[in-house]
């Protein structure tokens, strides 16, 4: 690889680090091109999965201010740069890794700090943003229904008491 190509690759990877909300570092040793293509499709359009040389990735990480990932850049390395929801990408990688033992998650980077393998898996186990918002909306609706029933209770008690008084007067 010519020096100008390396400089371009480093600046491209550094730009990906700067523009992404999260990154998941994986080892892809033993995966075929067809399997890598399948993984890219599973990740969706908000994630770019990039195979890169470790020395170039280290320089790009240093250039973009990403620290604590140098230990992960050993062996065949590919990085999933997430520009949308990190949960969806982590779920897709975890799901793909279940069926393909050759894909190994090494760690990740999110919110300015490195992530361990267990933290990446924890992110994958979270509900997606849409599911969390729908649960929140359901909980809020239930509380509003409880409040409405609470405000309605005194009125119905007064009505029952009035009916009982009228019945008592009739006797």
């Amino acid at each position: 690889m010519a020096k100008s190509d390396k400089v371009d690759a480093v600046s491209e990877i550094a730009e990906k680090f700067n523009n992404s909300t999260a990154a998941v570092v994986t080892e892809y040793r033993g995966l075929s091109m067809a399997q890598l293509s399948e993984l890219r499709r599973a990740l969706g359009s908000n994630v770019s999965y990039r195979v890169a040389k470790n020395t170039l990735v280290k320089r790009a990480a240093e250039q973009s201010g990403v620290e604590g990932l140098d230990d992960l850049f050993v062996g065949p390395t590919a990085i999933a740069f997430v520009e949308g929801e990190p949960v969806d990408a982590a779920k897709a990688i975890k799901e793909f890794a279940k069926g393909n033992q050759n894909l190994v998650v090494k760690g990740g980077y999110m919110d300015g700090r490195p992530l361990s393998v267990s933290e990446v898996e924890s992110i994958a186990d979270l509900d997606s943003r849409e599911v969390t918002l729908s649960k929140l909306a359901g909980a809020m609706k239930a509380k509003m229904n409880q409040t409405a029933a609470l405000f309605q209770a005194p009125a119905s008690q007064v009505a029952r008491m009035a009916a009982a008084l009228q019945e008592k007067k009739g006797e």
Side-chain angles (χ1 to χ4, degrees):
M1 191 179 244
K3 184 171 176 139
S4 64
D5 293 340
K6 290 180 182 178
V7 170
D8 292 341
V10 167
S11 62
E12 181 184 335
I13 295 169
E15 185 179 329
K16 294 256 187 211
F17 271 120
N18 290 331
N19 295 335
S20 62
T21 56
V24 179
V25 181
T26 63
E27 181 177 318
Y28 65 94
R29 186 186 324 239
L31 290 177
S32 67
M33 285 304 292
Q35 290 170 320
L36 286 174
S37 296
E38 181 184 335
L39 174 59
R40 285 185 173 105
R41 277 192 301 278
L43 289 172
S45 61
N46 292 336
V47 180
S48 64
Y49 191 71
R50 166 98 192 232
V51 174
K53 290 187 174 188
N54 292 327
T55 55
L56 300 180
V57 175
K58 284 180 186 178
R59 286 189 184 145
E62 182 181 315
Q63 185 177 339
S64 61
V66 174
E67 297 175 354
L69 297 181
D70 288 347
D71 297 342
L72 304 179
F73 302 134
V74 177
T77 302
I79 305 172
F81 294 102
V82 183
E83 292 183 13
E85 272 299 309
V87 173
D88 296 336
K91 279 183 191 288
I93 290 172
K94 184 177 179 181
E95 203 56 40
F96 187 84
K98 282 181 185 176
N100 297 287
Q101 301 301 321
N102 292 331
L103 182 71
V104 178
V105 176
K106 293 181 179 181
Y109 190 81
M110 187 171 82
D111 292 335
R113 69 177 197 86
L115 301 173
S116 67
V117 175
S118 62
E119 289 173 319
V120 172
E121 289 177 356
S122 296
I123 291 171
D125 293 336
L126 293 174
D127 289 333
S128 68
R129 183 175 189 269
E130 291 78 20
V131 171
T132 303
L133 287 175
S134 64
K135 285 181 178 180
L136 178 64
M140 290 174 67
K141 183 180 177 193
K143 288 295 180 188
M144 289 184 354
N145 286 343
Q146 287 176 346
T147 303
L150 182 66
F151 286 134
Q152 193 176 24
S156 64
Q157 287 175 348
V158 168
R160 282 192 298 253
M161 188 170 38
L165 283 173
Q166 190 176 23
E167 197 176 294
K168 194 173 188 180
K169 280 185 181 180
E171 292 175 1

